[in-house]
Amino acid sequence: MASNSSACSSYWVISGLALVLGAIVHQADARAFLVFGDSLVDSGNNNYLATTARADSYPYGIDYPTHQATGRFSNGLNIPDLISEQIGSEPPLPYLSPELRGQKLLVGANFASAGIGILNDTGIQFLNIIRMHRQLEFFQQYQQRVGALIGAEKAKRLVNQSLILLTVGGNDFVNNYFLVPFSARSRQYDLPDYVKHLISEYKKILMRLYNLGARRVLVTGTGPLGCVPAELAMRSTNGGCSAELQRAAALYNPQLERMIIDVNRKIGSDVFIAANTHQMHADFVSNPQAYGFTTSKIACCGQGPYNGLGLCTLLSNLCPNRELYAFWDPFHPSEKANKIIVQQIMTGSTRYMKPMNLSTIMALDSRT
């Protein structure tokens, strides 16, 4: 009787192990999703850091499925969440989350950290944030952890086949060059030269990603920087967008697109996909009513002119219907606006996505 019980126990242990290993192998065959960048795509890494750049308290997350603040700079879902929905995956966990272990690693990881920029001196006022060089170090560490789970060869394939989202650059203007009058960077460079410097440094980041195994990377530009509620509150005259920040975006985004084309040409493959998020934002900023918004100037959550001053907190003005607002807080789009952006990433024409949209990428890659 004892031997039968032992055999039965062994059977269930082996069966259970086979199920677990089978699930891990199946997940390894699925496409991982990796996210790098700033607060537009941070899903909670800054919750684990000593920084003022955080979104871990009410009313952030008011429309998230759990109605809890998660560290996303949104009333609900952010862009990585919505892309995950579209590609049939669960959203990758923040890299610093203690829950990111075992099979969860094979879903991907989110390395993004609010406040960071292309340059290391961007966001210094936020103290302890995960700057781009550190995000890339974490990416290497991630690959080692995946290799320990499924073997080095499969880990390499998982990274090569992963979808990567990279969103960085806006903070290099709003939280660096234009942060204060006569900032260190604005004394060092005039605006056109600063933009060239950013593009040159960004190119190094793209090549580093490529050398670490990235083969499908969505690279987003900046939105219309001068039109966000924070800049309207601080710089607007007669309700118009800030001319100097709009000039910055107008210089930066076309050069970013040209640099991406040049890098792809040198590599000999369309590794990097340029997402024209400036145009995606500009569509609903310039004509909010066409997208079901009542305003693209006033933030849902904030205080002062345009609800654009300070942080979104429990004491802020809070709109009752987030669906009517293009901006959730002084800097970040609402969940509804994020859905519009992600729809263009998925199916947009070459006006929005060059050389192709994400639906086309998914269809192409499924054949290889």
Side-chain angles (χ1 to χ4, degrees):
M1 185 73 178
S3 61
N4 283 347
S5 172
S6 173
C8 191
S9 297
S10 299
Y11 169 79
W12 286 115
V13 167
I14 292 165
S15 297
L17 186 60
L19 280 170
V20 169
L21 290 174
I24 287 177
V25 169
H26 173 73
Q27 185 64 60
D29 291 337
R31 187 166 211 166
F33 184 28
L34 303 165
V35 182
F36 299 85
D38 58 27
S39 59
L40 290 165
V41 292
D42 184 355
S43 291
N45 278 311
N46 281 21
N47 292 359
Y48 303 95
L49 303 171
T51 178
T52 54
R54 56 200 312 122
D56 58 348
S57 59
Y58 182 88
Y60 284 98
I62 189 171
D63 300 311
Y64 191 73
T66 60
H67 305 291
Q68 299 290 316
T70 60
R72 291 162 171 82
F73 286 75
S74 172
N75 58 300
L77 302 177
N78 65 8
I79 287 170
D81 294 325
L82 296 164
I83 290 177
S84 295
E85 276 185 6
Q86 292 285 336
I87 65 175
S89 167
E90 59 182 279
L93 288 168
Y95 189 68
L96 299 184
S97 169
E99 293 174 34
L100 185 67
R101 61 183 187 273
Q103 198 174 342
K104 293 281 187 187
L105 285 162
L106 307 183
V107 173
N110 186 322
F111 304 93
S113 176
I116 68 107
I118 296 163
L119 305 181
N120 281 335
D121 58 293
T122 292
I124 52 171
Q125 69 272 30
F126 300 126
L127 304 175
N128 188 20
I129 49 181
I130 314 169
R131 303 182 192 287
M132 273 310 310
H133 69 89
R134 187 70 175 135
Q135 290 187 30
L136 294 173
E137 287 169 8
F138 280 156
F139 182 32
Q140 288 178 280
Q141 191 182 91
Y142 166 82
Q143 294 186 45
Q144 291 163 2
R145 291 172 67 188
V146 172
L149 189 66
I150 59 174
E153 197 55 43
K154 281 184 178 170
K156 183 174 185 291
R157 189 160 70 243
L158 178 137
V159 169
N160 289 162
Q161 294 175 350
S162 66
L163 175 67
I164 296 177
L165 174 65
L166 175 56
T167 295
V168 68
N171 283 325
D172 293 287
F173 296 104
V174 299
N175 280 309
N176 192 331
Y177 194 88
F178 292 107
L179 179 63
V180 291
F182 311 110
S183 67
R185 287 294 188 181
S186 68
R187 292 196 307 272
Q188 182 183 8
Y189 295 104
D190 65 15
L191 185 59
D193 287 338
Y194 182 65
V195 169
K196 285 178 190 165
H197 178 59
L198 287 181
I199 297 296
S200 168
E201 292 301 305
Y202 206 168
K203 185 175 182 178
K204 294 174 189 173
I205 292 169
L206 297 192
M207 290 312 301
R208 182 82 180 118
L209 261 178
Y210 178 75
N211 291 332
L212 289 172
R215 293 297 178 267
R216 278 294 190 208
V217 187
L218 302 174
V219 182
T220 65
T222 71
L225 297 170
C227 301
V228 300
E231 301 304 333
L232 293 178
M234 290 186 287
R235 302 171 193 273
S236 175
T237 52
N238 303 320
C241 301
S242 162
E244 51 189 349
L245 275 157
Q246 288 298 86
R247 178 172 171 245
L251 286 168
Y252 174 82
N253 287 302
Q255 288 185 50
L256 175 62
E257 194 174 294
R258 286 196 295 273
M259 181 267 280
I260 288 168
I261 291 166
D262 181 54
V263 167
N264 283 341
R265 190 181 297 121
K266 284 177 180 164
I267 291 170
S269 175
D270 291 326
V271 170
F272 299 101
I273 310 297
N276 186 352
T277 40
H278 184 274
Q279 189 57 54
M280 296 174 196
H281 280 84
D283 287 349
F284 60 74
V285 165
S286 61
N287 189 4
Q289 286 75 22
Y291 294 85
F293 300 118
T294 55
T295 179
S296 61
K297 292 186 174 184
I298 303 168
C300 168
C301 182
Q303 45 276 314
Y306 307 99
N307 278 346
L309 298 179
L311 303 170
C312 169
T313 70
L314 189 60
L315 301 175
S316 298
N317 301 320
L318 178 65
C319 69
N321 186 352
R322 273 72 66 185
E323 295 283 301
L324 301 178
Y325 288 73
F327 285 94
W328 156 245
D329 70 8
F331 284 106
H332 303 98
S334 62
E335 180 187 286
K336 181 176 173 180
N338 283 334
K339 285 179 178 175
I340 294 166
I341 292 163
V342 169
Q343 196 52 56
Q344 292 290 15
I345 288 172
M346 291 304 301
T347 61
S349 69
T350 50
R351 184 177 188 226
Y352 300 97
M353 298 293 295
K354 287 182 183 171
M356 63 192 119
N357 60 39
L358 184 50
S359 294
T360 305
I361 291 167
M362 300 297 286
L364 276 175
D365 292 352
S366 68
R367 297 181 203 143
T368 56

